[in-house]
Amino acid sequence: MPWNPDIYNQFKNIRFKPFFDLADLIRNKPQMKAIDLGCGTGEQTAILAEKFPDATWVGIDSSAEMLEKSKGLENDRLHFRQATTEEVLDSDEKWDLIFSNAALQWSDDHQKLFPTLISRLETGGQLAIQMPYQPGNILNQILFELANEEPFKTQLNSWNRPSAVLSIDEYAQILFENGIEDLNLSQKVYPIIAEDHETLFNFISGSALIPYLEKLNDEQQQLFTKEFKQRIAKNFTKLPAIYSFKRILMYGRKK
């Protein structure tokens, strides 16, 4: 099941707030070579290219459907290409700025991932990353629990996706041990106000729900979706509801 940029962008304003918070942590340096890992439609990468006009940017995303929306944004300082984060890190290329907004939660084993990211920074290079704190977000918890129950566990062949996202203390330790200084780490709530339960379902259906549904046939998808919506309603009994969506923001500079 491919990513649907139209569904994803239904919550564009909500998803842009942490992006701007993260971008404000970056220090402008002359002639930065910068990469945006998980750039999606490229719109945010284009904003960064305007904010840092002396930098050259490449936006990376694994989704052809999302990158299709980036057409027309490229210029001499901004380019896009289809690749996974892992494919990028397998190369020896180094960067003055590695930026990633709401993408690295899709990568596994952050205890190994983040040291590798840091190794791809030039001396003095900057790391700016934002991820939803999935272990602490209710909709992610419901999704994980549901996939572990029958009949869905059998239908999914016992597949589930435990979050790779670590605690803020663990990230602080990893960054410190791998030579990152000027650390700025925070966990922040970006509240979603939902007038109905469908809004909450739509928010997660454009991201974390996708890999589950793509493993199910049409009938199984309908059953899974129906039960998921029922559990959302059980957890959010008052409407309008506030969903305290937690995100981790981190910034640092390599010694």
Side-chain angles (χ1 to χ4, degrees):
M1 178 177 293
W3 280 71
N4 187 323
D6 295 326
I7 293 177
Y8 187 82
N9 281 334
Q10 285 180 9
F11 298 89
K12 179 177 175 178
N13 291 338
I14 293 171
R15 299 187 193 278
F16 267 57
K17 289 179 181 178
F19 161 76
F20 285 115
D21 287 345
L22 185 65
D24 285 343
L25 298 176
I26 300 169
R27 300 178 187 177
N28 196 10
K29 302 284 184 180
Q31 298 180 328
M32 283 193 301
K33 180 183 175 185
I35 187 169
D36 181 5
L37 295 174
C39 66
T41 62
E43 186 177 0
Q44 293 179 352
T45 323
I47 293 172
L48 291 170
E50 291 183 4
K51 183 178 177 68
F52 303 101
D54 293 330
T56 56
W57 286 87
V58 58
I60 299 293
D61 203 274
S62 62
S63 169
E65 292 78 15
M66 296 292 267
L67 285 175
E68 181 69 22
K69 298 288 186 177
S70 71
K71 290 183 177 180
L73 296 176
E74 289 190 324
N75 55 49
D76 291 343
R77 296 186 300 103
L78 173 61
H79 299 281
F80 297 96
R81 73 171 187 258
Q82 186 176 356
T84 65
T85 294
E86 290 71 23
E87 288 169 342
V88 172
L89 296 181
D90 280 343
S91 74
D92 294 327
E93 196 167 7
K94 291 198 172 186
W95 308 87
D96 300 305
L97 169 62
I98 295 177
F99 181 94
S100 184
N101 183 60
L104 294 184
Q105 71 273 14
W106 293 101
S107 295
D108 296 326
D109 197 349
H110 285 199
Q111 292 283 0
K112 292 183 178 179
L113 174 68
F114 275 76
T116 305
L117 282 169
I118 295 167
S119 73
R120 299 296 182 264
L121 285 173
E122 299 282 7
T123 300
Q126 300 175 81
L127 187 71
I129 292 170
Q130 182 275 122
M131 296 174 294
Y133 184 56
Q134 294 171 331
N137 287 329
I138 295 174
L139 293 183
N140 293 101
Q141 295 169 0
I142 296 172
L143 179 58
F144 185 79
E145 291 168 1
L146 184 59
N148 275 339
E149 298 178 12
E150 296 294 355
F152 308 114
K153 183 175 181 179
T154 297
Q155 293 170 357
L156 290 164
N157 293 318
S158 295
W159 180 88
N160 206 339
R161 193 178 186 281
S163 175
V165 178
L166 306 174
S167 71
I168 195 169
D169 292 342
E170 290 173 302
Y171 287 118
Q173 189 67 32
I174 293 171
L175 269 57
F176 174 75
E177 289 179 352
N178 287 274
I180 295 293
E181 57 186 8
D182 298 335
L183 285 175
N184 187 336
L185 289 90
S186 63
Q187 182 173 301
K188 184 176 178 180
V189 170
Y190 291 86
I192 298 169
I193 308 302
E195 296 295 330
D196 51 42
H197 297 123
E198 193 71 16
T199 298
L200 296 171
F201 173 78
N202 288 340
F203 178 74
I204 197 168
S205 71
S207 54
L209 184 60
I210 293 173
Y212 291 85
L213 294 185
E214 68 184 3
K215 297 180 183 298
L216 302 173
N217 63 36
D218 290 345
E219 183 178 349
Q220 293 166 347
Q221 286 180 11
Q222 291 176 10
L223 183 60
F224 192 90
T225 296
K226 180 181 178 181
E227 181 61 27
F228 191 21
K229 288 181 177 181
Q230 290 176 349
R231 297 197 183 192
I232 291 173
K234 289 178 182 178
N235 278 269
F236 296 89
T237 56
K238 294 182 179 180
L239 293 173
I242 181 170
Y243 179 29
S244 300
F245 194 73
K246 305 173 188 72
R247 296 179 181 270
I248 292 177
L249 293 88
M250 63 183 81
Y251 169 86
R253 184 174 57 84
K254 187 175 182 180
K255 294 179 182 178

